[in-house]
Amino acid sequence: MFETLPQPKLDGIIALMQAFADDPRMGKIDLGVGVYRDEAGRTPVMQAVKKAESHIVATQESKTYLSLAGDVAFLDAMEGLLLGGAVPNARVAAVGTPGGTTAVRQIAELIRRAHADATIWISAQTWPNHAPLIAAAGMKSRPYRYQDATTGMLDRDGMFADIAQAAAGDVVLLHGCCHNPTGIDLSVQDWADMGAALERTGAVPFVDMAYQGFGEGLNADAGGLRHLAARLPEVLVAASCSKNFGLYRERVGLAMAIVPEPDKAKLAGALAGLNRQNFAFPPDHGGRVVSTILNDVTLKHVWQTELEEMRTRVSGNRHALAAALRDETGSDRFDVIEQQQGMFSLLPVTPEQVECLRADHGIYMLWDGRTNMAGLNSQTVPVLAQAIAQITA
Ligand code: LMR
């Protein structure tokens, strides 16, 4: 029966992970997959996570099923982290999902059930898995302009002109913070204007929050989402705890619908039903780690301190790389790296130059120049800057 089974076309991130693992060269540099690394190149288990896990192992008495939505303590703690009280709980329906990826998929399926004709608008540059996940859920996506190729900054006019074309009931996917792959985030004013644009069109925002805490800080990074939630009747959210809790392989995510109060029960039921059909009960361990941390004053402080260290290190790498590129190339065209935030920036290099970096220098970044700033350290910043100066000379 499998003679004609087509192989899936995996996105570039997965292919790059494999190519990097297969490369025998010492000194190869991984700037591909979005994983935080410390100065020594490790992705350590956070201390707050270790402590929470010890507590869970010592006190947990059962691993029997919870509800389809998952652990209420996790959902409540995440609601606090994401929304900060911007809307009452009576408007919030949420379920746990295996990672943020599944949250995106579940929300796309929810949209299909509600409004199969809707178009999901995605930024022209976006996470390589967004469009495939939306297509797999049976929905169509359409790009809106985002990064201006000349300035490397937000194409504000292009973005709002495109979003003005969204129909009522369409969905606009927005990155809550630390835009992947451009690192270009909306300002407070941009979020306010986005709220107004969505009000005018009647399109529904869908906020993907995968890097909360890596941009300006936990609350500032959620400011745009909170603004939309308070302003608009319906907001969809997919959130991930992979990066800010370092729980990558535990698969901790959440799908949320913020709706008018009378619709909450209907949305909670729909999201739970989708969980049942796709994987039944969400995994528990990682979510329990998150709620244990967020509900304990001391552990929460430890976690916030560790997260802040990570955020500062990534931002330091941005400044160091921009300075090194200025020195090596004698040009200021890379300066925007310092104004962008989060793990990624799109370096202005061609796919051929990316291939040259990989083949000749052992430096791995995505084909479009997406570079994981968290993968750099004081040794590799000059190596990357020199290599880029060489290939762009
Ligand atoms: C990335 O963009 O590299 C991360 O979000 C990892 C992933 O699942 O693609």
Side-chain angles (χ1 to χ4, degrees):
M1 77 185 280
F2 298 120
E3 290 81 10
T4 58
L5 181 72
Q7 283 300 290
K9 197 173 169 312
L10 295 177
D11 62 71
I13 297 174
I14 305 300
L16 198 72
M17 282 172 82
Q18 191 56 51
F20 182 82
D22 293 344
D23 187 337
R25 284 177 287 182
M26 298 284 287
K28 59 186 177 175
I29 301 172
D30 182 6
L31 306 176
V33 66
V35 166
Y36 175 81
R37 295 209 175 77
D38 64 15
E39 180 69 17
R42 289 175 309 224
T43 306
V45 181
M46 294 172 87
Q47 282 307 308
V49 168
K50 284 262 186 214
K51 290 193 167 101
E53 287 186 312
S54 303
H55 174 77
I56 292 165
V57 168
T59 57
Q60 193 168 48
E61 288 180 344
S62 175
K63 287 188 183 285
T64 187
Y65 294 126
L66 293 170
S67 74
L68 291 173
D71 183 16
V72 175
F74 167 69
L75 299 173
D76 286 349
M78 285 300 289
E79 183 182 327
L81 191 66
L82 291 161
L83 300 179
V87 295
N89 173 266
R91 286 190 57 203
V92 181
V95 293
T97 56
T101 302
T102 317
V104 173
R105 173 69 187 259
Q106 298 290 81
I107 294 283
E109 291 202 17
L110 179 76
I111 297 164
R112 179 165 55 80
R113 279 163 195 237
H115 185 20
D117 291 337
T119 295
I120 302 183
W121 293 74
I122 57 177
S123 46
Q125 299 81 15
T126 196
W127 182 45
N129 208 13
H130 273 149
L133 281 171
I134 290 166
M139 295 299 295
K140 54 182 179 298
S141 61
R142 192 172 155 185
Y144 60 85
R145 280 168 278 175
Y146 199 75
Q147 184 170 31
D148 182 319
T150 318
T151 62
M153 308 288 282
L154 182 66
D155 179 0
R156 216 174 167 281
D157 294 345
M159 176 178 78
F160 282 118
D162 290 345
I163 286 174
Q165 294 184 31
D170 276 357
V171 173
V172 177
L173 178 50
L174 299 159
H175 297 226
C177 64
C178 307
H179 185 272
N180 177 4
T182 67
I184 301 169
D185 282 347
L186 302 188
S187 66
V188 172
Q189 185 60 50
D190 293 333
W191 281 108
D193 293 345
M194 183 62 72
L198 294 167
E199 245 163 18
R200 272 193 300 275
T201 58
V204 176
F206 171 12
V207 178
D208 186 353
M209 184 71 91
Y211 295 88
Q212 190 182 356
F214 277 92
E216 289 178 48
L218 279 169
N219 284 319
D221 289 354
L225 167 61
R226 292 173 189 178
H227 173 76
L228 297 183
R231 178 169 186 164
L232 299 170
E234 294 172 341
V235 179
L236 300 162
V237 184
S240 165
C241 299
S242 293
K243 280 83 183 184
N244 52 7
F245 287 85
L247 285 165
Y248 306 88
R249 67 174 73 156
E250 297 294 351
R251 311 312 296 141
V252 194
L254 167 143
M256 176 186 277
I258 302 161
V259 290
E261 287 188 27
D263 290 341
K264 171 175 169 155
K266 182 166 69 177
L267 268 297
L271 287 169
L274 283 168
N275 275 10
R276 181 61 174 157
Q277 284 166 12
N278 286 329
F279 48 82
F281 304 91
D284 180 72
H285 179 76
R288 195 159 293 271
V289 168
V290 168
S291 62
T292 302
I293 292 171
L294 294 179
N295 287 323
D296 180 293
V297 177
T298 313
L299 277 186
K300 187 172 179 186
H301 178 71
V302 173
W303 169 68
Q304 282 180 310
T305 307
E306 291 181 280
L307 179 58
E308 186 56 20
E309 271 169 28
M310 297 199 284
R311 189 187 76 80
T312 320
R313 202 186 95 72
V314 177
S315 145
N317 283 350
R318 286 187 173 278
H319 294 300
L321 182 62
L325 283 165
R326 256 192 311 273
D327 287 351
E328 292 292 341
T329 65
S331 147
D332 58 7
R333 63 193 279 255
F334 297 95
D335 284 5
V336 283
I337 296 172
E338 290 184 280
Q339 290 161 49
Q340 296 162 354
Q341 54 189 16
M343 281 201 195
F344 309 113
S345 279
L346 281 180
L347 297 186
V349 285
T350 64
E352 293 72 33
Q353 290 168 334
V354 168
E355 174 52 20
C356 179
L357 286 171
R358 189 198 62 76
D360 299 347
H361 301 271
I363 297 172
Y364 285 72
M365 62 177 63
L366 294 197
W367 73 97
D368 55 0
R370 190 191 87 166
T371 303
N372 178 10
M373 298 292 156
L376 290 165
N377 60 28
S378 51
Q379 313 269 297
T380 55
V381 162
V383 176
L384 175 63
Q386 278 156 24
I388 287 180
Q390 209 175 311
I391 58 160
T392 56

